[in-house]
Every structure is written in C-alpha cells, then in structure tokens.
Amino acid sequence: GAVVSQHPSRVICKSGTSVKIECRSLDFQATTMFWYRQFPKQSLMLMATSNEGSKATYEQGVEKDKFLINHASLTLSTLTVTSAHPEDSSFYICSATEGRSYNEQFFGPGTRLTVL
Amino acid sequence: DAKTTQPPSMDCAEGRAANLPCNHSTISGNEYVYWYRQIHSQGPQYIIHGLKNNETNEMASLIITEDRKSSTLILPHATLRDTAVYYCIACMDSNYQLIWGAGTKLIIKP
C-alpha cells in the first residue's frame, strides 16, 4: 500500500516554456503533500508544503510565482514550473502523508526536468 | 529540528550486517529519529523510526542509545540492492517537514 506516482518521469523542454508535474497518491488520501528539488549529488531541498484546498506554503527562497502548486484533491497535487530556464533543471520529487500520528512520508519516483 | 551528523560514506560486504551510525546530540525529548534511504535516481523510501526504544521491522533495526544522542541503523543481511544514500532525520512527530542532511552513501560490495 501507500503508493505515490509522478508524471512525467522525464521531461525535456525549451527555455521559456512551462512544465507541469503531477503527483498522485494511488491508494490513500493525502492530507499533505510536499515538493522537493534535488540537484546532482546534493540532498533533497524542500520547496513547498501543500494541504488540499488551501494555498501552498513555500520555503524561503522559493518563488511562488515561478513554482505554482495546486492541491485540488486529496489524491492529486501539481507543480508547474513557469518560464523554465536551464538553472531549473533538476530532479523534482513529491511526497505525501496520510496525516497519521507519525511522520512517515511516501515518496514519488521523481521527475527529471531538463531545460535546454 | 535537531541537527544530525552521519559519516559521508561506508562500505559493507554483501551478506554482512551494515551498521550505519547517526549522531543527534541536540535532540529534544519529543523528537523522533527517522531513517530514509534513496537509491540512485529514485524517490526516498521510509525505513524505520523510533523515539526511545529500539525498533525492528522487516527492513531494519534501529538502536537508540539511552541518552538518545546517537542511534544506529542495522541492515541485518545487506544485499547489493541496499546500496543507497541513507538519511537520518530527527524531527517532531507533529512536524511533517523533514530536513535532509547529506546522508551516508552505503555501498554494498559483492
């Protein structure tokens, strides 16, 4: 149980275009979803936290107008990278939690974004 | 959240027990110790967590010292598929924001 999927797994786009990444909890309702970014050989960096039906909370230094997060339902959150540039190339990972008493987060497989 | 310190890398022979240490000397009384791992180019995977008592599940055992300032994750019979970066994180149960350090790169050798 507790599977999180991401789509697409890989995307290559031209500079200036927007890219949408979907994160779905397949067999549970996710009260909270998280979006992370990971550059090569670095650890995960939390970008934002989102709860269904409310605005996402962004970490310091993350531009909310550039990284649009929509958490429309308890099983779906989307991250849109607007006007992508080469420096946005990274591994984007989402996670979700059922909101149980302990902090077990279920992670998606990640999306590799390459901006040319 | 308390800061954790882990060795950057470790090797272990296949079939042997892998013991991964973690220091969390500033951990507070209500912070849990969580362990996740990340296999190359995949999302992280939850392994185990604990507060005070030692814990065991189908994946690993977690040994927490009595003063809670350090812990050890034990993979009892390491396989090549256990090669990954292992992250030790200390955080409160009610705080879902995990702060990721550099982790330990564990390499299992045949």
Side-chain angles (χ1 to χ4, degrees), chain A residues 32-37 43-50 57 59 93-98 100-108, chain B residues 1-4 6 30-38 43-50 86-102:
Chain A
T32 305
M33 286 185 166
F34 304 85
W35 286 96
Y36 295 85
R37 181 166 52 180
S43 188
L44 281 77
M45 292 175 52
L46 180 65
M47 299 175 68
T49 303
S50 73
T57 301
E59 294 300 301
I93 309 170
C94 73
S95 72
T97 178
E98 296 178 272
R100 290 188 289 178
S101 62
Y102 62 88
N103 195 355
E104 180 179 352
Q105 292 186 20
F106 303 100
F107 286 82
Chain B
D1 292 342
K3 179 178 175 164
T4 61
Q6 299 176 253
N30 58 355
E31 286 183 313
Y32 286 71
V33 179
Y34 286 85
W35 283 85
Y36 282 80
R37 73 180 182 184
Q38 185 178 25
Q45 176 189 23
Y46 166 83
I47 301 174
I48 200 168
H49 78 284
Y86 286 76
Y87 295 95
C88 168
I89 301 170
C91 70
M92 289 188 288
D93 187 28
S94 59
N95 180 6
Y96 295 133
Q97 294 186 344
L98 302 174
I99 306 300
W100 302 77

Side-chain angles (χ1 to χ4, degrees), chain A:
Chain A
V3 177
V4 174
S5 70
Q6 275 185 247
H7 178 79
S9 58
R10 284 181 173 271
V11 58
I12 300 173
C13 69
K14 293 182 179 179
S15 186
T17 60
S18 294
V19 175
K20 180 185 282 188
I21 302 170
E22 290 188 350
C23 176
R24 294 182 185 271
S25 57
L26 299 185
D27 50 4
F28 68 100
Q29 292 189 327
T31 54
T32 305
M33 286 185 166
F34 304 85
W35 286 96
Y36 295 85
R37 181 166 52 180
Q38 186 174 33
F39 293 107
K41 298 189 178 181
Q42 293 187 24
S43 188
L44 281 77
M45 292 175 52
L46 180 65
M47 299 175 68
T49 303
S50 73
N51 294 294
E52 182 263 341
S54 60
K55 290 184 178 180
T57 301
Y58 290 81
E59 294 300 301
Q60 193 171 9
V62 178
E63 300 174 58
K64 63 180 181 180
D65 294 330
K66 180 169 182 62
F67 299 98
L68 302 178
I69 292 172
N70 186 297
H71 194 159
S73 75
L74 284 172
T75 59
L76 173 64
S77 176
T78 60
L79 168 68
T80 301
V81 183
T82 62
S83 187
H85 291 285
E87 57 265 31
D88 298 322
S89 297
S90 188
F91 192 48
Y92 291 87
I93 309 170
C94 73
S95 72
T97 178
E98 296 178 272
R100 290 188 289 178
S101 62
Y102 62 88
N103 195 355
E104 180 179 352
Q105 292 186 20
F106 303 100
F107 286 82
T111 296
R112 176 76 58 191
L113 171 63
T114 302
V115 184
L116 302 177

Side-chain angles (χ1 to χ4, degrees), chain B residues 1 4-6 16 23 28-29 36 44 51 54 60 63 67-68 72 78-79 81-84 88 93 103 106 108 110:
Chain B
D1 292 342
T4 61
T5 305
Q6 299 176 253
R16 304 296 294 270
N23 285 320
S28 62
Y36 282 80
L51 183 64
N54 298 336
I63 309 298
D67 63 7
R68 301 210 326 122
T72 301
T79 71
R81 288 179 295 181
D82 292 322
T83 292
C88 168
D93 187 28
L106 175 66
I108 307 300

